[in-house]
């Protein structure tokens, strides 16, 4: 019988005023009234639907309980008036109608289509039926909504809707359905799209590296290509230009996999030019053609052959003997993927697992399917994130680079799909999300298994930030082991060990452990960071409002610059732009003008003062030469200038100061390169410097006491034996006692306790801790006493005797003060007062610290030079003695001065 091409079938379900029990008893058997009631219902339905033109038949297909729900099918042999059908449907009680025939669907005529092709599926209607819903029912009878994605794009025109598929995968094989709903009627059309699938192929060879060190050998190699069991009928072929006897041997099915095998023989005496053999297995699907050629997929195997001259890594447990510059591969015992281990220059590298947890692999596939355009993220998000959280929580083997990598990629793809589908994450999504991103940070070592750790950690941070930006959050506070997510109102809030002060509502995500994974470089400088990384996102989009943060729990080392930084996504590195550090007095404070991911980094190296070393060694060189000259001069003029006890005492102190300072400088130069200095020598030189510098200051103290005695006890002469005994005790014994007590107290001169190998000098830990204070306290005390002596001398100059009160010239007084300071400061070590400022000031306090450091270095490195100028060449008697020694007789100028001086003395008498 001929049937109109415009015929329509209608599947309906309506609720009737009967009860289900009127038709069926408790055993679900038909009652006596079944036929009568069925006839009444059929007649009533026909009476309504027969109003449609071209009405042909109505058949009841079943009943469902409720009150009484009737399922039925209506056949109409011509075009339906939709308005009339809607009027009929609205006259029924709780009715749903599904029409088939009002909408036509078209698919490619030549099927199956090939993998990678771009077919189009189109649905057309007779009139405007509203928006369309596309559904794919796959070969497993799973129904999935179709939306815009990587492989699908939806478009519409007048009465026409189209799915444009692009370079399709096998996921699109199934029944396509377009649905138009104008309640209570749904109009559908369905058509099958068949795809000639191609498999995922895993290839291997046994052995992986044929050993031809013995050129007389012939080695049998077995090749295997493995695919999942499939209903497709593939033709498998093997090709090789290196193996003439390559032959296919067998195929076998194990579990859900099919293994195709081939064999070939390596004749070791036939050395290959590149020592690398190639074999290819090709899977051809004969059901479809691509550009006139068969639809096929191939995988190439490269077999490195070991010869006698080859560098190799010896077999190590399961790892086979491997040729250098190649990678050995072992199939995973569980999961998907493989283990790899590089052989480089005959040395094994670290084995790296690329085995992916099966659960994570399945979640990743589900997300990829949604990304292709199969499904809506809003309908799957809770299921996916819950599964991801469960696996990363319960399975400890997830803490590997491969599993962390796929977990981050799952989140990344989920968020991208969410953005593409204009979906935002809600607060219900966040608890599982926080647990998941925390779980992958449990083992920081796993992130560093490959050189891609920096890239992965940056992806992780950017993915989390983008997901937060793509969220609708008003008030959340979720804490896991390594991650804390909280919304902060315009005030202080604390997340882990960071205090945040903001002027607007922001979402803060604090990360523990992430600082150990992300790069620690800023402008090519390597830094330290062991603190929390803080990601701050405005609740309502981006903003430039200032953000104040205080990081706790990080110990800043003295003189080390701190950097307040944010993660620059464009440069994929830390940047300090827009962020200000609180300085040495508030070292944990950061103020930034924008929102991002923040942390605080500390430079690995202290602030560098340009040319400081060169300046130090140059000045020391000058001082050493000056001190040698000073000692020689003292030797030459001793008999001439030392005519009294006071002169004797002063020159004894001067010689000792010069000798000990010379030895201290030489020991200092001996530790110019601490890294190249033997640890034992480093200890010896530290002890020498410690003793010599202390001896210098104790001898300056002797000189200081001598000056005080002369100024205070004018009429009481200091006996020579008393002063010598006092000087020897103070100048030799006291430094020795200080050094010995310090040495014993700090674990008998232990490295890191008494001295540091990094500087060959005493240690400083923090506060008042460290052996350096066994130098600072005595030196500080002596410098204060010497300053007191200097002040007494100045007071004597400022305060004249009664007989000279009217004759004093103010200019002469000022000149005398300046001369006193210039002459006494070097010999008394007063310039070391800058050392206390150096110790107190941090080098990050610019420019004051830099000025003080340069002043300290110049003045104290040239102390020997200043002693030569002031206490040798600056003393008239020394100059006269030198002149007399080298000329043989006093100069006229000297005689004149001497005569003038004698005349003055006589007048006074």
């Amino acid at each position: 019988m001929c049937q109109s091409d415009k015929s329509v079938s209608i599947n309906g379900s309506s609720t009737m005023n009967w009860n289900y029990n009127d038709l069926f008893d408790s055993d679900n058997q038909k009652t006596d009234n079944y036929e009568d009631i069925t006839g009444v219902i059929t007649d009533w339905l026909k009476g309504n639907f027969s109003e449609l033109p071209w009405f042909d038949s109505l058949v009841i297909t079943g009943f469902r309980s409720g009150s009484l729900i009737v399922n039925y099918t209506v056949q109409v042999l011509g075009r339906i008036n939709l308005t009339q059908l809607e009027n009929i449907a609205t006259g029924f009680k709780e009715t749903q109608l599904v029409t088939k025939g009002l909408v036509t669907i078209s698919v490619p005529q030549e099927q199956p289509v090939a993998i990678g092709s771009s077919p189009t599926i189109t649905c057309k209607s007779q009139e405007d039926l509203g928006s369309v819903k596309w559904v794919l029912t796959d070969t497993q009878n799973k129904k999935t909504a179709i939306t815009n994605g990587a492989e699908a794009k939806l478009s519409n025109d007048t009465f026409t809707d189209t799915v444009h598929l692009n370079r399709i995968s096998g996921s699109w094989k199934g029944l396509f359905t377009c649905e138009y709903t104008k309640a209570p009627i749904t109009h559908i059309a369905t058509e099958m799209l068949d795809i000639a699938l191609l498999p995922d192929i895993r290839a291997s060879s046994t052995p992986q590296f044929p050993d031809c060190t013995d050129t007389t050998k012939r080695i049998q190699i077995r090749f295997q290509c493995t695919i999942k069991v499939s209903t497709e009928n593939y033709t498998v072929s093997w090709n090789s230009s290196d193996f003439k006897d390559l032959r296919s041997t067998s195929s076998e099915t194990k579990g859900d996999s099919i293994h195709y095998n081939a064999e070939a023989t390596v004749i070791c005496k036939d050395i290959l030019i590149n020592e690398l053999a190639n074999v290819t297995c090709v899977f051809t699907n004969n059901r479809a053609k691509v550009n006139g050629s068969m639809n096929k997929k191939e995988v190439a195997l490269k077999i490195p052959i070991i010869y006698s001259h080859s560098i190799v890594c010896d077999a190590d447990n399961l790892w086979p003997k491997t040729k250098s510059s190649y990678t050995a591969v072992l199939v995973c015992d569980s999961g998907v993927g493989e283990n790899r281990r590089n052989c480089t220059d005959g040395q094994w590298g670290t084995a790296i697992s690329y085995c992916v947890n099966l659960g994570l692999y399945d979640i990743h596939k589900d997300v990829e399917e949604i990304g292709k355009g199969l499904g809506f993220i809003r309908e799957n998000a809770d299921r996916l994130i819950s599964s991801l959280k469960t696996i990363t929580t319960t399975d400890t083997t997830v803490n590997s680079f491969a599993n962390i990598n796929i977990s981050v990629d799952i989140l990344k793809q989920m968020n991208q799909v969410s953005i593409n589908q204009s979906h935002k994450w809600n607060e219900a999504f966040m608890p599982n999300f926080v647990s998941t991103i925390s779980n992958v940070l449990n083992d920081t070592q796993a992130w560093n298994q490959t050189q891609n750790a920096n890239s992965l950690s940056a992806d992780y941070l950017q993915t989390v930030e983008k997901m937060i930006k793509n969220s609708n959050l008003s008030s959340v506070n979720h804490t896991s082991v390594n991650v804390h997510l909280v919304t902060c109102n315009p005030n202080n809030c604390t997340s882990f060990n960071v205090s945040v002060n903001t002027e607007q509502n922001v979402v803060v995500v604090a990360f523990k452990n992430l600082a150990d994974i992300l790069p620690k470089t800023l402008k090519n400088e390597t830094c330290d960071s062991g603190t929390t990384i803080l990601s701050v996102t405005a609740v309502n989009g981006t903003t430039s409002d200032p953000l104040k943060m205080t990081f706790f729990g990080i110990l800043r080392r003295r003189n080390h610059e701190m950097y307040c930084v944010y993660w620059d996504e464009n440069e994929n590195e830390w940047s300090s732009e827009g962020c200000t550090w609180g300085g040495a007095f508030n070292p944990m404070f950061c103020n930034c003008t924008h929102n991002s991911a923040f942390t605080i980094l500390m430079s690995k190296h202290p602030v560098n003062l340009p040319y400081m070393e060169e300046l130090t060694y140059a000045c020391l060189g000058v001082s050493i030469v000056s001190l040698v000259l000073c000692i020689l001069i003292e030797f030459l003029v001793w008999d001439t200038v030392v005519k009294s006890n006071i002169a004797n005492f002063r020159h004894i102190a001067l010689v000792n100061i010069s000798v000990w300072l010379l030895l201290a400088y030489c020991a200092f130069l001996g530790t110019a390169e601490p890294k190249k200095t033997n640890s034992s020598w480093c200890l010896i030189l530290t002890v020498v410097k410690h003793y010599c510098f202390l001896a210098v200051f104790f001898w300056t103290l002797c000189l200081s006491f001598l000056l005080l005695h002369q100024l205070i006890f004018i009429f009481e002469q200091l006996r020579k034996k008393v002063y010598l005994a006092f000087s020897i005790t103070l100048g030799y014994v006291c430094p020795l006692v200080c050094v010995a007590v310090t040495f014993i107290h700090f674990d008998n001169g232990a490295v890191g306790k008494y001295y540091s190998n990094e500087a060959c000098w005493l240690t400083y830990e923090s506060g008042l801790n460290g052996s350096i204070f066994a130098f600072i306290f005595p030196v500080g005390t002596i410098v204060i006493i010497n300053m007191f002596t200097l002040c007494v001398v100045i007071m004597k100059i400022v305060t004249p005797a009664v007989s000279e009160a009217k004759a004093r010239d103010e200019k002469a007084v000022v000149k005398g003060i300046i001369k006193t300071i210039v002459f006494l400061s070097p010999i008394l070590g007063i310039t070391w007062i800058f050392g206390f400022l150096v110790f107190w000031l941090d080098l990050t306090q610019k420019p004051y610290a830099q000025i003080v450091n340069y002043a300290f270095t110049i003045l104290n490195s040239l102390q020997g030079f200043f002693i030569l100028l002031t206490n040798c060449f600056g003393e008239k008697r020394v100059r006269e003695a030198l002149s007399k020694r080298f000329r043989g007789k006093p100069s006229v100028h000297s005689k004149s001065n001497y005569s003038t001086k004698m005349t003055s003395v006589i007048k006074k008498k």
Side-chain angles (χ1 to χ4, degrees):
M1 183 179 77
C2 295
Q3 187 173 348
S4 169
D5 59 0
K6 292 185 173 52
S7 62
V8 178
S9 65
I10 304 172
N11 291 321
S13 65
S14 301
T15 301
M16 299 298 171
N17 291 325
W18 279 276
N19 289 320
Y20 185 79
N21 294 334
D22 292 336
L23 279 78
F24 300 95
D25 58 22
S26 57
D27 295 327
N28 213 29
Q29 299 295 318
K30 295 178 182 178
T31 63
D32 294 339
N33 297 325
Y34 178 84
E35 297 295 338
D36 294 337
I37 296 173
T38 302
V40 171
I41 293 173
T42 301
D43 291 341
W44 184 79
L45 289 172
K46 284 183 177 179
N48 284 276
F49 281 101
S50 61
E51 296 178 5
L52 295 173
W54 305 100
F55 172 79
D56 178 59
S57 63
L58 184 145
V59 177
I60 293 179
T61 57
F63 297 95
R64 289 180 288 132
S65 60
S67 295
L68 179 63
I69 301 173
V70 181
N71 297 329
Y72 50 89
T73 300
V74 179
Q75 292 292 334
V76 180
L77 300 180
R79 183 171 181 174
I80 292 178
N81 184 302
L82 290 180
T83 303
Q84 191 175 8
L85 182 61
E86 289 173 6
N87 291 335
I88 293 171
T90 53
F92 291 177
K93 181 181 179 182
E94 297 179 15
T95 294
Q96 292 292 328
L97 301 179
V98 178
T99 72
K100 194 170 184 180
L102 282 175
V103 179
T104 59
I105 186 171
S106 60
V107 297
Q109 295 299 309
E110 294 185 9
Q111 294 198 39
V113 298
I115 289 282
S117 61
S118 301
T120 299
I121 295 90
T122 301
C123 277
K124 294 183 179 181
S125 59
Q126 299 173 5
E127 55 186 274
D128 184 11
L129 299 177
S131 60
V132 66
K133 176 183 178 182
W134 288 95
V135 177
L136 175 68
T137 306
D138 63 16
T139 54
Q140 305 299 319
N141 210 32
K142 176 185 174 183
K143 293 185 176 181
T144 308
I146 301 172
T147 184
N148 289 308
E151 295 182 4
K153 183 178 180 181
L154 307 184
S155 67
N156 61 79
D157 201 350
T158 306
F159 306 154
T160 304
D161 291 279
T162 306
V163 176
H164 303 274
L165 299 178
N166 179 45
R167 301 182 61 82
I168 60 171
S169 59
S171 304
W172 297 97
K173 182 174 182 176
L175 185 68
F176 281 77
T177 303
C178 55
E179 299 180 1
Y180 300 84
T181 301
K182 294 183 71 174
I185 306 172
T186 300
H187 310 281
I188 68 170
T190 60
E191 196 62 75
M192 187 74 183
L193 180 66
D194 190 12
I195 302 175
L197 304 178
L198 287 174
D200 292 325
I201 309 168
R202 179 167 52 85
S204 62
S205 69
T206 306
Q208 291 184 47
F209 304 90
D211 189 354
C212 277
T213 52
D214 182 356
T215 56
T216 63
K217 290 174 62 176
R218 297 169 63 92
I219 302 173
Q220 197 77 12
I221 304 180
R222 183 187 179 192
F223 308 102
Q224 189 174 81
C225 282
T226 303
I227 67 170
K228 294 290 185 183
V229 172
S230 173
T231 56
E232 298 287 341
N233 186 18
Y234 299 115
T235 300
V236 182
S237 59
W238 296 84
N239 301 315
S240 175
S241 59
D242 297 308
F243 298 112
K244 305 302 181 184
D245 64 336
L246 178 65
R247 58 199 176 278
S248 176
T249 56
S250 64
S251 63
E252 53 186 343
T253 301
K254 290 184 179 179
D256 63 347
S257 299
I258 305 177
H259 306 280
Y260 294 89
N261 303 311
E263 290 182 352
T265 304
V266 175
I267 302 173
C268 290
K269 66 179 182 180
D270 299 334
I271 298 179
L272 299 175
I273 295 176
N274 59 1
E275 302 180 8
L276 191 67
N278 293 280
V279 173
T280 304
C281 62
V282 183
F283 284 73
T284 304
N285 192 323
N286 300 316
R287 297 200 307 133
K289 293 184 178 181
V290 181
N291 297 327
S293 62
M294 300 309 297
N295 194 31
K296 63 183 180 181
K297 188 174 184 179
E298 62 183 41
V299 62
L301 264 173
K302 298 184 181 297
I303 301 94
I305 299 174
I306 299 172
Y307 292 106
S308 57
H309 59 273
S310 301
I311 300 174
V312 298
C313 295
D314 293 329
D316 182 16
N317 294 325
L318 296 177
W319 297 99
K321 185 177 181 180
T322 301
K323 193 172 182 178
S324 187
S325 301
Y326 289 93
T327 301
V329 176
L330 294 178
V331 178
C332 299
D333 294 331
S334 61
V336 179
E338 57 193 22
N339 298 289
R340 300 177 188 173
R341 194 177 185 187
N342 290 331
C343 173
T344 305
D345 296 329
Q347 297 294 324
W348 281 113
T350 303
I352 300 175
S353 172
Y354 290 90
C355 301
V356 175
N357 177 278
L358 279 173
L360 294 178
Y361 180 78
D362 290 338
I363 296 173
H364 191 261
K365 282 182 62 178
D366 287 349
V367 175
E368 280 187 332
E369 294 295 291
I370 299 173
K372 291 175 183 178
L374 288 168
F376 290 95
I377 193 67
R378 64 174 178 270
E379 298 171 358
N380 295 276
D382 291 339
R383 172 183 63 84
L384 292 171
I385 197 65
S386 177
S387 300
L388 189 57
K389 177 237 179 177
T390 300
I391 293 172
T392 56
T393 301
T394 59
D395 192 346
T396 56
T397 62
V398 167
N399 289 321
S400 68
F401 181 85
N403 287 322
I404 293 171
N405 184 53
I406 197 172
S407 298
V408 173
D409 195 54
I410 288 170
L411 293 173
K412 186 177 182 179
Q413 290 196 39
M414 283 179 66
N415 192 57
Q416 189 57 54
V417 172
S418 178
I419 293 171
N420 293 341
Q421 296 183 2
S422 300
H423 170 264
K424 288 188 175 294
W425 310 112
N426 55 32
E427 294 180 3
F429 177 83
M430 288 300 145
N432 287 335
F433 170 69
V434 171
S435 296
T436 299
I437 61 177
S438 172
N439 290 340
V440 297
L441 291 177
N442 285 336
D443 184 2
T444 57
Q445 295 300 318
W447 290 72
N448 298 315
Q449 289 179 352
T450 73
Q451 296 179 348
N452 297 324
N454 289 348
S455 175
L456 177 58
S457 57
D459 271 354
Y460 168 83
L461 177 59
Q462 291 173 23
T463 297
V464 173
E465 286 195 310
K466 288 177 180 178
M467 293 188 79
I468 296 300
K469 289 178 182 178
N470 188 41
S471 303
N472 271 330
L473 305 176
S474 57
S475 178
V476 292
N477 191 343
H478 302 295
T479 304
S480 193
V481 177
N482 301 306
V483 176
H484 180 206
L485 170 67
V486 61
T487 50
C488 293
N489 298 322
N491 52 28
N492 280 322
C493 70
T494 302
S495 185
F496 285 153
N497 58 348
V498 184
S499 174
V500 182
N501 190 308
T502 176
E503 297 180 4
Q504 60 165 13
N505 294 335
V506 293
V507 180
V508 174
V509 187
F511 303 90
K512 289 181 181 177
N513 293 344
L514 185 57
D516 298 329
I517 303 167
L518 279 167
K520 300 180 181 67
T521 56
L522 177 67
K523 298 177 181 177
N524 297 322
E525 179 182 357
T526 302
C527 302
D528 284 332
S529 175
T531 188
T532 301
I533 288 180
L534 204 69
S535 173
V536 182
T537 306
V539 171
N540 296 316
T542 58
T543 180
S544 58
D545 287 350
L547 185 71
K548 299 176 181 179
M549 297 163 286
T550 303
F551 293 82
F552 304 103
I554 181 171
L555 182 62
R556 173 181 172 267
R557 293 193 292 275
R558 176 177 169 79
N559 297 330
H560 285 66
E561 195 89 50
M562 302 293 287
Y563 304 105
C564 295
V565 294
Y566 76 97
W567 186 256
D568 189 338
E569 294 183 7
N570 297 324
E571 300 297 330
N572 215 31
E573 63 181 15
W574 293 111
S575 171
S576 58
E577 185 177 349
C579 292
T580 306
W581 177 45
F585 294 109
N586 195 4
M588 298 300 107
F589 177 77
C590 290
N591 188 5
C592 295
T593 59
H594 51 78
N595 293 339
S596 183
F598 302 98
T599 193
I600 189 165
L601 301 176
M602 180 171 64
S603 175
K604 274 188 174 292
H605 308 287
V607 173
N608 180 44
L609 297 177
Y611 306 109
M612 180 62 82
E613 287 190 6
E614 293 83 350
L615 186 63
T616 300
Y617 297 136
C619 292
L620 284 179
V622 172
S623 282
I624 288 173
V625 173
S626 300
L627 290 170
V628 171
L629 287 174
C630 185
I631 295 169
L632 287 174
I633 289 170
E634 287 293 319
F635 174 76
L636 292 173
V637 303
W638 186 273
D639 293 335
T640 305
V641 299
V642 178
K643 298 296 184 179
S644 65
N645 283 347
I646 296 301
N648 186 35
F649 300 156
R650 192 176 73 80
H651 282 277
I652 287 174
L654 175 61
V655 170
N656 275 278
I657 290 170
S658 299
V659 169
W660 290 120
L661 190 58
L662 176 63
L663 293 174
Y665 284 162
C666 291
F668 188 90
L669 289 178
T671 58
E673 295 184 352
K675 293 181 180 178
K676 296 182 180 179
T677 305
N678 180 275
S679 183
S680 299
W681 274 108
C682 192
L683 173 60
I684 292 170
L685 291 172
T686 300
V687 172
V688 170
K689 287 190 289 183
H690 191 187
Y691 179 81
C692 290
F693 276 118
L694 284 179
V696 169
F697 280 96
F698 276 104
W699 275 105
T700 65
L701 185 61
C702 292
L703 187 59
S704 180
F705 284 154
L706 176 64
L707 289 172
L708 284 174
H709 184 274
Q710 290 299 108
L711 291 170
I712 297 172
F713 305 103
I714 301 173
F715 302 105
E716 186 175 337
Q717 294 295 321
L718 187 64
R719 289 182 296 171
K720 187 175 183 179
K721 287 184 179 180
V722 173
Y723 179 76
L724 288 177
F726 174 76
S727 300
I728 290 171
T729 302
L730 195 62
Y732 297 144
V733 178
C734 285
L736 183 62
V737 171
C738 286
V739 173
V741 171
T742 307
F743 188 90
I744 294 169
H745 176 75
F746 288 95
D747 294 346
N748 293 320
V751 62
K753 297 290 186 178
Y754 173 70
Y755 76 104
S756 166
N757 261 335
E758 296 178 359
C760 287
W761 183 231
L762 304 175
T763 61
Y764 170 76
E765 295 177 13
S766 62
L768 297 178
N769 297 323
S771 61
I772 188 67
F773 292 100
F775 177 78
I776 290 175
F777 286 152
V779 169
T781 304
I782 292 170
V783 169
I784 292 171
I785 294 172
N786 291 349
M787 286 186 66
F788 171 75
T789 300
L790 181 63
C791 291
V792 171
V793 174
I794 293 172
M795 290 298 296
K796 284 290 182 180
I797 295 172
V798 173
T799 308
V802 176
S803 61
E804 299 176 347
K806 295 182 179 180
R808 296 281 288 182
D809 184 359
E810 290 185 1
K811 289 184 179 180
V813 172
V814 172
K815 185 178 179 180
I817 293 172
I818 294 173
K819 185 176 179 181
T820 300
I821 293 173
V822 170
F823 274 70
L824 289 183
S825 291
I827 196 66
L828 293 181
I830 302 299
T831 53
W832 280 74
I833 195 67
F834 283 98
F836 297 101
L837 293 176
V838 167
F839 191 78
W840 180 69
L841 288 173
D842 195 285
L843 286 177
T844 59
Q845 295 174 258
K846 302 175 183 178
Y848 311 108
Q850 280 71 9
I851 295 171
V852 169
N853 271 268
Y854 280 112
F856 173 76
T857 298
I858 293 170
L859 293 175
N860 291 286
S861 296
L862 289 175
Q863 186 177 359
F865 175 68
F866 294 141
I867 289 174
L868 176 66
L869 289 182
T870 58
N871 289 271
C872 288
F873 296 145
E875 185 177 346
K876 183 187 292 185
R877 287 185 180 182
V878 173
R879 293 198 305 271
E880 290 175 349
L882 284 174
S883 177
K884 180 180 179 181
R885 187 173 187 87
F886 288 109
R887 293 186 181 182
K889 59 181 179 178
S891 63
V892 175
H893 179 71
S894 297
K895 288 180 179 180
S896 176
N897 287 343
Y898 181 74
S899 300
T900 303
K901 182 176 180 181
M902 290 302 296
T903 303
S904 176
V905 170
I906 291 170
K907 285 182 178 180
K908 285 183 178 181
K909 287 183 177 181

